[in-house]
Amino acid sequence: MAETVGAVAPVFLIILVGFLLRRLKGLADGFWLPAEKLTYFITFPALLAANLAGADLRGVAWAPVAAVSAGGIILTAALILAARSLLARRLAIDDRAFTSVFQGAIRPNTYIGLALATVLFGPFGVTLMALCIAIVVPLVNVLAVACMVRFGHGQSASLSAMARGIATNPLILACLVGIAMNIGGLGRPPILGPALTILGSAALPIGLLAVGAGLSGDGLRRAAPALLVSSAAKLLLLPGLTWIGALALGMDAPTTALCVLYAALPCSQSSYVLARQMGGDATLMATSITVQTLLSGLSIPVFVLALV
């Protein structure tokens, strides 16, 4: 247990540093938005592309990883959708709030995931986590945007806009580029390869600091029922279903651990941006991200201890 906590705690310590920097005005407020954009569009894609380009993918079970990762998300999303009427009737969760519950139940914070995979599993963990990202990011974007189009306030987004947003997602494009370089035998070529590696090395610290800076407790008491539902679904239900699927398919222990770890990650900050842009409950979304990030500091070590 001490070793597990020792591996996970530094990641959350960096998140705490970001939180304190923002609250104590250690850096100007204007720093954080450009830092998030730099991570999302440049350093994080560079990290994914570099790791996938140079990874040995011959021993990776692509099909089971895809089935387990996607299957858990689809089943969780279906259960949340099936419960929508009940949530509205019993917990007074309206359509705008429901979009935040839905996003909170399925969207993972990949910055935290890659940091944990690096600490716990080294290069193999980063490679497999990148594959999970390549599988899950397109899927959760499709599901989240579809939910926003259906239940968000004042929405009229077209299918073409949805497809364009997915096709231009920098994380998806980076994964595709890295896999193409790997399959094509290019690997990490001179100059470009080291440049991607250097850029990628900045992704995790900046990304984790930005996660902490974005934490907010606004509206915590008002949103308690919705927060309980989304947190239980994301931190317990989804990793539990993923674990069951991995056992059913006979996955090896390290691959199972990484797939479950990815499923157990708290909700990503990109959910807040989508809620704000597409008529969701952005305040509830921000509070959900905060609560899940804090709770995952307890739930993730339990899953890691059970699996590693």
Side-chain angles (χ1 to χ4, degrees), residues 6-299:
V8 173
V11 173
F12 289 94
L13 180 60
I14 296 173
I15 293 173
L16 176 61
V17 170
F19 175 80
L20 293 175
L21 282 173
R22 182 68 178 267
R23 294 304 175 272
L24 300 177
K25 307 295 183 181
L27 293 170
D29 287 343
F31 168 82
W32 295 106
L33 181 58
E36 290 175 5
K37 288 185 176 180
L38 176 67
T39 303
Y40 187 71
F41 288 102
I42 304 295
T43 61
F44 198 24
L47 175 65
L48 295 176
N51 277 284
L52 285 171
D56 183 0
L57 301 178
R58 290 171 294 182
V60 177
W62 287 60
V65 170
V68 166
S69 299
I73 287 172
I74 291 171
L75 186 52
T76 299
L79 291 171
I80 294 294
L81 281 170
R84 186 178 69 85
S85 297
L86 180 64
L87 295 176
R89 188 168 60 253
R90 295 290 181 86
L91 301 178
I93 296 176
D94 61 19
D95 283 352
R96 290 182 69 238
F98 176 77
T99 63
S100 293
V101 171
F102 185 86
Q103 284 205 88
I106 64 171
R107 299 191 71 157
N109 192 316
T110 49
Y111 302 138
I112 296 176
L114 274 171
L116 291 173
T118 301
V119 171
L120 294 169
F121 295 95
F124 169 77
V126 174
T127 297
L128 195 59
M129 192 65 69
L131 286 176
C132 288
I133 291 168
I135 294 162
V136 168
V137 168
L139 176 61
V140 296
N141 274 280
V142 169
L143 293 174
V145 171
C147 180
M148 297 300 301
V149 171
R150 173 62 181 84
F151 300 111
H153 178 69
Q155 275 308 296
S156 60
S158 65
L159 289 176
S160 62
M162 185 190 309
R164 184 167 58 252
I166 294 166
T168 57
N169 185 290
L171 305 186
I172 298 173
L173 293 176
C175 289
L176 293 176
V177 168
I179 291 171
M181 291 169 68
N182 190 303
I183 294 175
L186 186 61
R188 296 175 186 166
I191 302 177
L192 177 60
L196 289 174
T197 301
I198 293 170
L199 281 172
S201 65
L204 296 182
I206 296 176
L208 292 174
L209 288 172
V211 169
L215 298 183
S216 169
D218 295 342
L220 183 59
R221 183 176 300 177
R222 175 187 66 82
L227 293 173
L228 178 62
V229 173
S230 66
S231 298
K234 185 68 189 72
L235 303 179
L236 298 175
L237 177 62
L238 179 54
L241 292 173
T242 303
W243 196 350
I244 292 171
L247 292 174
L249 293 179
M251 274 187 178
D252 62 85
T255 305
T256 297
L258 280 158
C259 288
V260 174
L261 173 62
Y262 189 67
L265 296 172
C267 185
S268 70
Q269 283 187 296
S270 58
S271 305
Y272 173 77
V273 176
L274 189 64
R276 190 169 53 183
Q277 292 180 344
M278 297 190 67
D281 190 332
T283 301
L284 173 59
M285 196 71 258
T287 308
S288 182
I289 293 166
T290 299
V291 169
Q292 287 194 25
T293 301
L294 295 175
L295 290 177
S296 69
L298 301 174
S299 62

